[in-house]
Amino acid sequence: LNAGVNAHEVVRRSEGVIVVNSTVALESLIHGKPVYVLGHWTFGGLGITRQMQDYRHLAEDLLKLRTDCVDPDEVARVLYDLFGEMARFSYNREPVDYHAMAGALVQATQRHA
């Protein structure tokens, strides 16, 4: 994509997203799009994306991407857990409302859709 293209618009119009390692994967999940990870994405292996296991099965795996469904409740649960882990190891000693934090992220993404 060139600098003038809005990645959120591309994701919104897609059936799914294929990444090597990218923040677009997280944005795609928030948009409810299935994600297929070719590389070692930071948030891979959490049960919310499909991970490429073997290049020999790439074509059939990519066909499955078209029919995969994203469970928004599971994505939200993973986001809450991640935010909790990040906040716990920060210097922020005030209580953190993880639900509000994840909700704000989803809302911000939807405004760009």
Side-chain angles (χ1 to χ4, degrees):
L1 298 178
N2 67 41
V5 175
N6 182 328
H8 291 280
E9 183 63 21
V10 173
V11 168
R12 189 179 69 74
R13 292 175 181 224
S14 72
E15 292 182 15
V17 176
I18 302 166
V19 300
V20 174
N21 60 5
S22 173
T23 56
V24 171
L26 183 58
E27 295 163 353
S28 300
L29 290 168
I30 291 170
H31 280 285
K33 302 297 182 172
V35 174
Y36 189 82
V37 181
L38 297 176
H40 299 286
W41 184 50
T42 304
F43 304 120
L46 298 176
I48 57 175
T49 61
R50 182 181 293 274
Q51 178 71 42
M52 195 246 355
Q53 299 296 324
D54 186 335
Y55 283 112
R56 292 175 293 185
H57 303 287
L58 183 61
E60 62 194 64
D61 284 349
L62 292 179
L63 287 175
K64 293 175 189 173
L65 183 67
R66 297 185 77 185
T67 58
D68 280 353
C69 296
V70 174
D71 179 351
D73 293 333
E74 184 64 11
V75 171
R77 184 196 63 76
V78 170
L79 285 176
Y80 297 151
D81 290 349
L82 290 171
F83 285 134
E85 288 298 313
M86 288 186 286
R88 191 170 64 214
F89 294 107
S90 73
Y91 292 104
N92 183 3
R93 299 293 179 218
E94 296 180 23
V96 177
D97 183 345
Y98 304 119
H99 182 74
M101 187 185 303
L105 178 61
V106 170
Q107 287 176 358
T109 303
Q110 290 172 344
R111 282 193 300 268
H112 294 289

